[in-house]
Amino acid sequence: MNRILTLGKKSILGLGLLFFISVFTIGFFAGDKYGDVIPVLNKRLVPIYKVDRVDKKISITLDGTWGANYTEELLDIFEENDVKVTFFFAGYWLEKYPDLVKKIAVEGHDVENHTYTHPHCNSLSPEQIEDELERTSDLIEELIGKRPRFFRPPFGEYNNKVIETATGLDYQVVQWSLDSLDWQEPGVQYIVDRILNNVTSGEIVLMHNNAPHTPEALRILIPELKKRGFKIVPLSELVYKDNYYIQSHSGLQVRQKGAGDRN
């Protein structure tokens, strides 16, 4: 006579829980190895916060959403010091200052995507996020003839939905590793000290194009950073374009072993 094995509800629940824990554990460690390539069991996705580099390259990034009072002065400073940076603009800013956007691009700086209306993207549907991104990219392409490669979520706010939608549209999602806090108007020396005391290779520095202390801080920072051996480059020269993974616990972008040095 064949025996029929029967399981009670508690046994079934126990086996299910054991299976879930096993798969989650495997997925967690696999995720650290392969980064954002295969999200496992809704593992939390992260943007690029910093790049694993030893060549002392860093990027200065400036978000633009609420004005342009200091932008011409910033461009003069960058030209005087022969450095290129990256600007993240909201779509409505682009529409208000089209000639300035063109000048920024002509002078060799990156112009990237910061959504159209600067919303809280976590509260939007994937379709709404896509509209925010593509509407802004269309504007950038119309103005400078080139679509952006990078997207920075407003307020530094993101979730898996935001990252999955953006990466599905071929954007690399970028945050920052070092916040100058210039938007708080803490004073020039505070901004300078905050960056110089914390900067390391591969840093992504956050600043803002319309913060009043930013130009004077950069007049001090850029020569000092160069003196210390740092090379200031736009994100397109800092961030790896392919063959990389992102550490889920830190947001550090790491080059795959044996990969070429393509940005």
Side-chain angles (χ1 to χ4, degrees):
M1 180 183 294
N2 294 326
R3 287 193 170 186
I4 298 175
L5 179 63
T6 59
L7 296 175
K9 290 183 178 180
K10 289 185 178 180
S11 298
I12 293 172
L13 288 173
L15 287 171
L17 180 60
L18 180 61
F19 174 79
F20 178 84
I21 292 172
S22 299
V23 174
F24 178 81
T25 303
I26 293 169
F28 179 82
F29 289 107
D32 268 347
K33 182 177 181 182
Y34 298 108
D36 63 341
V37 178
I38 304 175
V40 180
L41 290 178
N42 293 322
K43 177 188 169 188
R44 180 174 179 267
L45 302 177
V46 295
I48 297 167
Y49 278 82
K50 187 176 179 178
V51 183
D52 184 26
R53 304 194 73 116
V54 295
D55 53 12
K56 301 200 80 171
K57 285 184 178 181
I58 64 172
S59 285
I60 293 174
T61 66
L62 298 105
D63 289 1
T65 58
W66 77 87
N69 296 339
Y70 309 100
T71 306
E72 292 276 8
E73 183 180 358
L74 289 170
L75 292 177
D76 290 341
I77 293 169
F78 298 142
E79 184 178 13
E80 291 164 8
N81 288 276
D82 191 27
V83 298
K84 308 301 180 186
V85 302
T86 299
F87 289 87
F88 283 92
F89 289 125
Y92 60 80
W93 195 98
L94 296 166
E95 290 186 333
K96 190 172 183 179
Y97 305 102
D99 291 338
L100 198 47
V101 177
K102 293 175 184 177
K103 182 178 181 180
I104 289 168
V106 166
E107 295 190 5
H109 305 291
D110 286 352
V111 178
E112 303 297 340
N113 196 316
H114 201 37
T115 69
Y116 186 84
T117 64
H118 204 261
H120 290 277
C121 288
N122 286 6
S123 65
L124 302 183
S125 69
E127 294 75 20
Q128 289 172 317
I129 296 168
E130 180 175 347
D131 181 67
E132 286 279 342
L133 292 174
E134 296 297 80
R135 189 176 177 188
T136 301
S137 288
D138 288 345
L139 268 173
I140 292 173
E141 185 173 26
E142 181 182 333
L143 289 168
I144 68 173
K146 181 181 178 181
R147 292 188 78 79
R149 169 180 158 188
F150 303 105
F151 160 58
R152 172 171 284 163
F155 312 105
E157 177 186 289
Y158 63 89
N159 56 21
N160 281 15
K161 173 184 61 181
V162 173
I163 295 179
E164 288 170 347
T165 302
T167 55
L169 296 169
D170 293 327
Y171 297 99
Q172 288 181 282
V173 186
V174 174
Q175 290 283 76
W176 59 84
S177 56
L178 184 50
D179 187 349
S180 68
L181 297 180
D182 59 349
W183 57 278
Q184 293 184 0
E185 301 184 21
V188 171
Q189 195 59 49
Y190 179 91
I191 296 171
V192 169
D193 291 342
R194 182 174 175 83
I195 293 176
L196 292 180
N197 291 340
N198 294 284
V199 65
T200 59
S201 187
E203 216 80 63
I204 298 174
V205 180
L206 173 65
M207 306 187 89
H208 295 79
N209 76 310
N210 209 45
H213 298 146
T214 301
E216 188 57 37
L218 284 169
R219 288 189 186 278
I220 300 169
L221 277 168
I222 293 174
E224 182 60 28
L225 287 167
K226 285 186 171 183
K227 182 179 177 182
R228 297 186 184 191
F230 289 100
K231 184 178 180 182
I232 301 167
V233 298
L235 282 177
S236 56
E237 295 181 28
L238 182 81
V239 174
Y240 302 123
K241 191 171 185 178
D242 50 25
N243 299 317
Y244 67 87
Y245 64 92
I246 303 171
Q247 291 182 349
S248 59
H249 61 283
S250 67
L252 182 70
Q253 186 195 39
V254 181
R255 197 70 165 158
Q256 296 278 20
K257 289 183 180 179
D261 191 25
R262 181 186 174 196
N263 286 328

